Amino acid sequence: MTAAVRLSPDAVLEGATVRLRALTRDDLPDLFDAIGHPEVFAGGWGGGPAAYRDTYEEWHAFILRYLAWKTGNVTAVLLRDGDRLVGTTTLGDFDLANGSAHIGWTAYAPEVWGTRVNAETKRLLLGAAFDNGFERVKLQADVLNERSRAAILRLGARFEGVLRHTQPRADGSWRDTAVYSILREEWPAVRDALDERLAAASA
């Protein structure tokens, strides 16, 4: 099967807790309320602590540059209870010739950290990627971001290694990137484990 970039702009992915749809410019004030906090940047997201902007105007300019608006499926993560926006994630970095994609650019409101939101969001996006024919889905994090790295491992992704000096952080230091992946042949077991985890979390 040939991998497809397709997540229709009108597509909605529904879980028990979250609803995923395309993030729009109209969502940005609500996204700022959700993730415009120093602790979101502290682990390395967005370029690290030095990338944090405390005014909406500066943050708005940053988020328009940072997210993969033109090349990825930039997604809004909403709680189904109240339809409140609590984060964003993206399926992007498409390499169709080799069936590869990347789930990243993920940030959530601190209040949903440690809940089922991330696991369910990734379950829905991974399912969409593999259903659309991808062979490999990459996930990655700043090597210093222990919280995100632990969350990626809990999803069932395999650690591949560390790429050194992949990009400068906002403070000018060089970021090393820890890379993980899930392959098509691994997805059924990963999917089943995620489903069991989510079922236990709602029990």
Side-chain angles (χ1 to χ4, degrees):
M1 182 185 298
T2 301
V5 175
R6 192 91 177 144
L7 278 188
S8 164
D10 299 323
V12 177
L13 302 178
E14 297 269 2
T17 301
V18 300
R19 175 182 295 112
L20 309 183
R21 60 161 174 78
L23 185 75
T24 70
R25 304 306 198 273
D26 291 341
D27 291 318
L28 293 184
D30 290 338
L31 185 63
F32 176 68
D33 288 343
I35 69 170
H37 306 288
E39 55 266 46
V40 173
F41 292 78
W45 187 82
Y52 171 67
R53 299 292 181 265
D54 62 359
T55 69
Y56 176 72
E57 291 73 23
E58 291 181 309
W59 179 90
H60 181 268
F62 155 78
I63 209 73
L64 289 180
R65 294 190 308 270
Y66 181 69
L67 296 181
W69 297 99
K70 294 182 179 179
T71 59
N73 292 298
V74 182
T75 301
V77 180
L78 301 105
L79 295 180
R80 290 190 61 183
D81 181 10
D83 209 37
R84 183 164 56 89
L85 197 154
V86 293
T88 184
T89 191
T90 296
L91 180 65
D93 280 353
F94 300 112
D95 178 353
L96 300 186
N98 294 303
S100 178
H102 169 206
I103 295 176
W105 299 269
T106 303
Y108 301 110
E111 70 194 74
V112 302
W113 292 358
T115 71
R116 54 182 285 133
V117 166
N118 183 59
E120 188 171 87
T121 296
K122 295 304 197 303
R123 166 65 175 88
L124 292 168
L125 272 188
L126 286 164
F130 288 115
D131 287 349
N132 275 274
F134 285 94
E135 175 65 21
R136 174 180 182 269
V137 176
K138 175 181 70 175
L139 301 102
Q140 63 186 34
D142 189 314
V143 73
L144 299 178
N145 193 339
E146 295 293 342
R147 185 179 59 80
S148 290
R149 294 183 65 182
I152 292 170
L153 285 174
R154 285 195 300 274
L155 294 172
R158 295 196 183 185
F159 177 60
E160 293 186 340
V162 174
L163 301 178
R164 299 183 299 165
H165 288 204
T166 55
Q167 63 198 81
R169 300 184 180 99
D171 65 3
S173 64
W174 280 99
R175 164 176 157 156
D176 294 344
T177 298
V179 179
Y180 305 77
S181 68
I182 299 170
L183 305 181
R184 167 176 294 281
E185 65 205 52
E186 297 165 349
W187 172 235
V190 171
R191 178 193 61 212
D192 291 349
L194 278 172
D195 287 345
E196 289 178 10
R197 175 179 163 188
L198 290 167
S202 62

